[in-house]
Amino acid sequence: MSIARRRTSRRALVASSAALLTVLGGAAPALAATAPAIVQAPLGHHGGGVLRSTSSNWAGYAATGGKFTSVSASWVQPSVSCSGSDTWSSFWVGIDGDGSNSVEQLGTEADCSGGSPVYSSWYEMYPAYPVNFSNSVRPGDRFTASVTTNGSGSFTLTLSDTTQGWKRSVNKTLRSAALASAEVIAEAPSSSTGVLPLSNFGTVGFSGATANGQSLSAAGASSITMASGSTTKATTSGLSGGGAFSVTWKHS
């Protein structure tokens, strides 16, 4: 069974390369202060009986149908193949966004700007704008990320680059958080005009993925394929060992 739907996007980006500031010395780009707010409307859950669904901007796994207070996973930062076009991709773990208006996420970015790759990391507590970390991100770095909450509005978002040896942990409050889903996702970020072209990241592998302290399989997570109309943009593999899978780029 396939349900086509757009998930709440992670990024509030301008749909042009002007949204990215010039990168000097390998520093991560910052979002423009005037970046438009996310305008995509989240469209409903997929129920427990749905084993597979599609999204215009997400590929990966999402668990729904309960209250979610933690999510975690590891991945290796992929490299992107850049041509003349500006493209975007992100890899993250998060709570909410699938059928809810709140978003608590963090992860990494792999974009192409002016024909060159740009790598960065970030967190987001939507409806606030996303915030970039200043740490360097390199292809091949291994990342571990988690989002946890006490269930009453307090969140801890942690991202570690175990290759370079840095770690960022942020404590935030969002009392309106729905706690309606948990996800491990590769995304085509969006602007106010819609979903942006997806960077060619090849294949990204996620491992050790959990929701509420259980493997994704035990948590009943559903697989998501990224597609726009008849065009498949990214495919998601089955789960191995309950919490490992890969997402493969197919089309921008």
Side-chain angles (χ1 to χ4, degrees):
M1 180 177 182
S2 178
I3 295 178
R5 140 180 103 237
R6 181 181 294 174
R7 269 68 174 188
T8 299
S9 174
R10 183 196 67 77
R11 298 287 296 217
L13 291 172
V14 178
S16 72
S17 58
L20 295 176
L21 299 183
T22 301
V23 180
L24 297 175
L31 286 179
T34 56
I38 296 169
V39 297
Q40 291 173 250
L43 306 179
H45 295 51
H46 50 279
V50 178
L51 299 179
R52 193 164 186 87
S53 62
T54 62
S55 167
S56 64
N57 59 332
W58 284 14
Y61 279 84
T64 60
K67 181 179 180 179
F68 294 90
T69 58
S70 70
V71 62
S72 64
S74 298
W75 65 91
V76 174
Q77 176 75 1
S79 61
V80 289
S81 299
C82 298
S83 58
S85 301
D86 291 343
T87 58
W88 292 263
S89 63
S90 59
F91 316 95
W92 53 265
V93 303
I95 295 174
D96 288 325
D98 187 358
S100 60
N101 287 316
S102 54
V103 165
E104 308 85 43
Q105 308 168 339
L106 84 168
T108 62
E109 194 92 4
D111 304 327
C112 293
S113 178
S116 298
V118 179
Y119 302 101
S120 58
S121 59
W122 51 270
Y123 75 89
E124 183 178 19
M125 297 287 293
Y126 182 74
Y129 287 138
V131 177
N132 276 30
F133 295 124
S134 60
N135 306 78
S136 68
V137 173
R138 301 182 304 214
D141 285 2
R142 181 172 179 82
F143 285 89
T144 296
S146 65
V147 178
T148 62
T149 177
N150 64 357
S152 300
S154 295
F155 288 84
T156 299
L157 302 92
T158 303
L159 181 69
S160 300
D161 184 330
T162 59
T163 302
Q164 296 194 54
W166 60 260
K167 178 179 180 179
R168 299 297 298 266
S169 188
V170 179
N171 295 313
K172 304 297 288 186
T173 299
L174 184 63
R175 302 199 184 281
S176 61
L179 309 183
S181 60
E183 306 93 17
V184 181
I185 296 294
E187 181 185 1
S190 301
S191 73
S192 59
T193 60
V195 179
L196 297 168
L198 180 65
S199 295
N200 181 356
F201 57 82
T203 296
V204 58
F206 295 93
S207 62
T210 68
N212 283 353
Q214 301 177 298
S215 69
L216 289 183
S217 178
S222 300
S223 172
I224 303 166
T225 295
M226 191 189 307
S228 178
S230 61
T231 301
T232 298
K233 298 178 1 182
T235 58
T236 303
S237 74
L239 288 170
S240 173
F245 67 95
S246 61
V247 175
T248 300
W249 181 91
K250 295 295 184 181
H251 196 280
S252 61

